[in-house]
Amino acid sequence: AYAAWLSAKTGKDYRLPTDAEREYVARAGTTTAFWWGASISPDQANFNANHAYLGGGAKGEYRKRTLPVDSFAANAWGLHQVHGNVW
């Protein structure tokens, strides 16, 4: 709905990325699970850190809310919050 609204508002075509496009962007061209490597910690992304990621990583704070987009480091392409931050 937002993409359709934005397209109508601006006169330009907008769409959601395909699954493949989203994965490519999120991983910044890497082949690991995350753009920084194979594991995840609550210092890298916002997720339920009451449980460690099965691929490796650490338990930590479970924030129970979304965070400002620049709360964590940007990937190699300058994109923030490409893993986690969904509430």
Side-chain angles (χ1 to χ4, degrees), residues 6-17:
L6 187 61
S7 295
K9 181 87 170 160
T10 64
K12 298 179 181 178
D13 290 327
Y14 291 91
R15 64 174 176 81
L16 294 175

Side-chain angles (χ1 to χ4, degrees), residues 2 6 10 13 15-16 18 20-21 26-27 31 35 37 39 44 65-66 71 82:
Y2 178 75
L6 187 61
T10 64
D13 290 327
R15 64 174 176 81
L16 294 175
T18 65
E21 290 168 338
R27 295 176 183 179
T31 58
W35 62 264
S39 66
Q44 296 165 310
R65 67 185 186 284
T66 57
S71 296
V82 293

Side-chain angles (χ1 to χ4, degrees), residues 24-85:
Y24 183 73
V25 168
R27 295 176 183 179
T30 68
T31 58
T32 56
F34 308 99
W35 62 264
W36 55 76
S39 66
I40 188 170
S41 80
D43 294 331
Q44 296 165 310
N46 189 27
F47 64 101
N48 182 351
N50 285 336
H51 311 281
Y53 176 66
L54 294 177
K59 288 184 176 182
E61 182 181 3
Y62 178 24
R63 296 174 182 92
K64 299 181 183 180
R65 67 185 186 284
T66 57
L67 299 176
V69 74
D70 61 351
S71 296
F72 301 98
N75 71 11
W77 296 340
L79 300 173
H80 292 266
Q81 299 275 14
V82 293
H83 298 289
N85 209 34

